[in-house]
Amino acid sequence: MKITDFPAYLRDRVLGMLPHRAPTGLIRIGKPDRHSPVLVTGNFTLTVRRLRDALRGHDAWLLVANSKGIDVWCAAGGGHLTHHDIISAIRTSELAHEVDHREIILPQLCATGVERPPITEATGFATRWGPARLEDLPAYLDRGAQTIKSDRSMRFPAWERLEMAVLLVVPMLIVLLPILAGLFGWATMAVGGATVGLFVAALFGLLPWLQVRGRRRFLTFAGFAAGAGLFGCALLSIVDAATPARLTAVSVAAVAAIAVASIDLAGFTPWYGSYINTFHNEAHIELMAARCTAAAECVQVCPRDVLEMNETQDKVEIRKPDWCIQCGACIVQCPTDALRFRYGDGRVVEAPTIRRTRMNMLGRRSVEMPD
């Protein structure tokens, strides 16, 4: 990343909760020719910037489809990036006139909402899945566009966890700081902001070692809320600004911030399924073995290694059901509808419903997709 690009990176990350659109179309990475690979992405500005950096030193075409300025995973899961958008990008960019081959590489994380066969039927371009994470693309291309098992798994390193903390904290502070400054003064604002930022960052930073699923998660969040409140009060005392009103204000702000983070902390991670999506009605992936033909499309797109091939039986198996994040990618991509969701109340959601609908912001599968 160039130093001059840093302000734009910072803006795109800090405001990552808001859609930010990059131009769609065909971008040259390096000096691509008519035989260079074509990589597909959405038009979330930060993703396009990072792809340019990650692919430096490689020659490739980058086909940017309209994902409404949202990152690929969220856009595909919410119905903002579909195979219709990719078909449109192929046609409007006149990709067929730029390359001699007829293949595009799709980001694995769009598998929750992008079906491959319609793309080939409409454009003549075959498709294959690339890695789940863009930083794995250089090695993937160096291997001749061949994925390995580690390419398919979603990691969540410390730097990315802290980025997510910033993404969550900034909207909180935009609301919180003017209130604290206006009602209680600048010292209270500074202490409240520091407390909220530090403890939300700690929550994400320590995530691998915290219990954030199941009923015990409430103990985790209660502990962080109490710790944040006490820390804020201590900090006010240190700066000699402790009054009953200020102590109360900072404590309430700290507890409120942790409460907001606790609403759906899992939904901010690539490791856990959203609380909202299955609130009081947990979903589990279910395999109907009789329908499985060992196509292994599901194995290729699962970001959490839930599914594996059983070579002896020539069938897919659910090896790590507790790791499932209910993204639905495996269900969408299975060519024989051998996978589905079964909810705690016994309700079953079959593959056609998963393909026809997407999640709204409240986790309800109510967004209807065009045919």
Side-chain angles (χ1 to χ4, degrees):
M1 179 181 68
K2 299 178 182 177
I3 296 297
T4 54
D5 290 338
F6 181 74
Y9 269 95
L10 185 62
R11 175 202 64 202
D12 292 343
R13 184 67 276 174
V14 167
L15 300 178
M17 291 283 281
L18 303 175
H20 192 193
R21 304 186 186 211
T24 57
L26 201 57
I27 297 176
R28 293 174 179 268
I29 305 293
K31 297 180 180 179
D33 58 25
R34 301 188 65 81
H35 305 286
S36 298
V38 179
L39 307 171
V40 177
T41 190
N43 69 330
F44 181 48
T45 304
L46 184 62
T47 299
V48 175
R49 291 184 190 280
R50 284 183 165 166
L51 277 168
R52 285 177 178 271
D53 284 347
L55 294 171
R56 188 172 288 123
H58 290 76
D59 300 319
W61 298 96
L62 185 61
L63 181 64
V64 182
N66 183 12
S67 63
K68 317 305 185 289
I70 303 170
D71 69 89
V72 164
W73 205 358
C74 293
H80 304 293
L81 177 65
T82 71
H83 45 273
H84 298 293
D85 297 299
I86 294 174
I87 291 167
S88 176
I90 291 172
R91 288 173 172 170
T92 57
S93 67
E94 298 186 333
L95 177 63
H97 297 301
E98 298 290 346
V99 295
D100 290 336
H101 63 82
R102 291 295 179 267
E103 182 180 76
I104 60 173
I105 299 169
L106 300 173
Q108 179 189 314
L109 296 185
C110 78
T112 56
V114 172
E115 298 175 49
R116 295 168 58 194
I119 297 174
T120 303
E121 292 170 8
T123 68
F125 276 84
T127 60
R128 68 165 66 189
W129 299 114
R133 296 184 61 90
L134 63 83
E135 60 262 32
D136 293 332
L137 274 170
Y140 166 81
L141 293 175
D142 291 341
R143 291 193 300 268
Q146 297 297 317
T147 55
I148 57 178
K149 185 175 180 179
S150 61
D151 288 343
R152 298 195 290 263
S153 299
M154 279 303 292
R155 303 182 296 276
F156 199 28
W159 68 265
E160 195 169 69
R161 298 199 300 274
L162 293 179
E163 272 196 345
M164 294 304 297
V166 170
L167 185 148
L168 187 59
V169 162
V170 167
M172 291 183 188
L173 295 184
I174 289 174
V175 174
L176 180 65
L177 295 187
I179 296 173
L180 291 178
L183 296 179
F184 304 101
W186 294 103
T188 307
M189 181 200 76
V191 169
T195 301
V196 167
L198 178 63
F199 274 79
V200 173
L203 188 60
F204 277 90
L206 297 173
L207 191 63
W209 301 279
L210 298 177
Q211 179 67 46
V212 296
R213 292 190 296 174
R215 293 185 177 181
R216 290 186 179 180
R217 73 179 186 269
F218 296 112
L219 296 176
T220 299
F221 297 133
F224 268 80
L230 291 172
F231 177 85
C233 291
L235 205 55
L236 276 175
S237 298
I238 290 172
V239 300
D240 197 25
T243 66
R246 289 172 177 170
L247 291 170
T248 300
V250 167
S251 297
V252 169
V255 171
I258 300 300
V260 170
S262 73
I263 291 172
D264 196 18
L265 177 66
F268 278 87
T269 80
W271 283 348
Y272 309 121
S274 168
Y275 307 141
I276 295 174
N277 293 355
T278 57
F279 186 62
H280 291 319
N281 192 21
E282 191 172 358
H284 298 277
I285 194 71
E286 185 173 81
L287 173 69
M288 292 164 284
R291 296 185 185 179
C292 179
T293 59
E297 288 281 341
C298 56
V299 176
Q300 293 181 50
V301 299
C302 178
R304 290 289 285 152
D305 293 328
V306 174
L307 305 164
E308 291 184 12
M309 276 295 301
N310 184 322
E311 302 293 346
T312 302
Q313 298 183 8
D314 199 26
K315 296 282 185 182
V316 170
E317 288 186 347
I318 300 174
R319 293 283 179 86
K320 301 172 183 175
D322 291 341
W323 286 27
C324 180
I325 58 174
Q326 295 94 42
C327 69
C330 59
I331 299 175
V332 171
Q333 301 304 325
C334 178
T336 58
D337 293 352
L339 291 156
R340 62 188 183 184
F341 283 136
R342 181 178 291 277
Y343 285 80
D345 61 4
R347 180 169 56 94
V348 170
V349 180
E350 300 281 359
T353 301
I354 300 295
R355 294 195 186 97
R356 192 181 68 250
T357 59
R358 299 291 184 272
M359 294 285 191
N360 63 19
M361 292 296 290
L362 296 178
R364 304 292 181 234
R365 189 164 288 279
S366 60
V367 180
E368 291 285 339
M369 291 293 99
D371 294 330

